[in-house]
Amino acid sequence: IALARGDTAAAALANEKSDMIRRGYANIYHYKAGVALMQHNYAEAAEILETFRDKASKTVKNPRTIKNFNPYGTGAYNLQLGIARRALGDKEKALAAFTASEEGFRGWLRRYPEEAAALGRLPLALAGQGRRDDALREIENALAIFPLTRDPLSAVEIRDYVANAYSWTGDRTLALELLQKIVALPGGPTAGDLKINPRWDELRADPRLNDLIAAAANTIELD
């Protein structure tokens, strides 16, 4: 909720108050890295993502789940790491992270070919590698499998990441047009995410993004 509002201080405090580490849940590191990204503390986010396995292995209930991360987890964590490294300008490390992310998502999709979260994020991992044609091909595949009439929440989530991939491939008008279609829908992008998440930085110079931020704020009722 705090990040949806763009309140990163409240989000960081919520993480600190969480008992997820005591209870043995490794996802707290993912949440902490997410807040660091939104605060533009990219080096901190990268450090969390690159060291969390060692830290989590000391607290989780079953350390083997950390050592033998499932492919989707590998894809998700490396995608976030790629975003952090990309923002830092570390091209080689970003490329390595996005490549590992692609491998993770493809491994997951071999098991579950129509898993929405992986379908939506795969094009962004490809765009992060500079592979525009491959990204556009996977975008077409994801949108065909999940039209908005099928499981709308999943379809909207896919389009959020597809819009992000469009922005990274240089197709910024397509990105903005797609965001316009989903900004008022349940599960659509939040005002906080659009305003401060570095993955939208390619769109910052376009005034239409400010209109989308305002529209997203109008659709969120948190009080």
Side-chain angles (χ1 to χ4, degrees), residues 168-222:
W168 285 11
T169 60
D171 299 297
R172 292 168 189 158
T173 294
L174 288 176
L176 290 160
E177 289 176 349
L178 186 54
L179 287 171
Q180 182 63 52
K181 291 178 181 178
I182 64 171
V183 70
L185 297 179
T190 67
D193 189 74
L194 291 172
K195 186 175 182 179
I196 59 179
N197 197 321
R199 66 191 182 97
W200 301 113
D201 282 355
E202 276 70 15
L203 302 179
R204 302 256 169 247
D206 195 308
R208 288 175 292 180
L209 182 62
N210 292 328
D211 295 336
L212 289 168
I213 292 170
N218 288 335
T219 63
I220 298 173
E221 296 181 6
L222 299 174

Side-chain angles (χ1 to χ4, degrees), residues 106-194:
R106 289 198 187 281
W108 193 248
L109 289 168
R110 282 193 289 272
R111 299 183 190 180
Y112 309 102
E114 296 190 0
E115 208 286 314
L119 282 170
R121 287 164 174 78
L122 176 58
L124 188 57
L126 293 166
Q129 297 174 57
R131 293 163 55 191
R132 181 176 184 272
D133 290 345
D134 291 336
L136 295 178
R137 183 162 46 250
E138 292 298 341
I139 284 173
E140 183 178 0
N141 179 57
L143 296 181
I145 291 175
F146 271 90
L148 283 171
T149 53
R150 175 189 176 185
D151 189 355
L153 286 176
S154 293
V156 168
E157 179 185 14
I158 284 173
R159 282 157 176 79
D160 182 296
Y161 279 90
V162 163
N164 192 175
Y166 276 145
S167 74
W168 285 11
T169 60
D171 299 297
R172 292 168 189 158
T173 294
L174 288 176
L176 290 160
E177 289 176 349
L178 186 54
L179 287 171
Q180 182 63 52
K181 291 178 181 178
I182 64 171
V183 70
L185 297 179
T190 67
D193 189 74
L194 291 172

Side-chain angles (χ1 to χ4, degrees), residues 21-26 29 54-61:
I21 292 179
R22 181 187 64 80
R23 295 169 64 188
Y25 296 149
Y29 298 101
D54 290 338
K55 295 176 182 177
S57 65
K58 300 173 183 177
T59 60
V60 297
K61 297 175 182 177

Side-chain angles (χ1 to χ4, degrees), residues 41-52 55 81 84-85:
N41 293 329
Y42 306 128
E44 179 185 344
E47 191 273 337
I48 291 171
L49 292 163
E50 289 169 343
T51 63
F52 85 94
K55 295 176 182 177
L81 176 58
R85 286 297 178 191

Side-chain angles (χ1 to χ4, degrees), residues 28-46:
I28 186 63
Y29 298 101
H30 185 77
Y31 300 150
K32 285 186 173 182
V35 172
L37 271 177
M38 298 282 265
Q39 291 177 325
H40 301 175
N41 293 329
Y42 306 128
E44 179 185 344

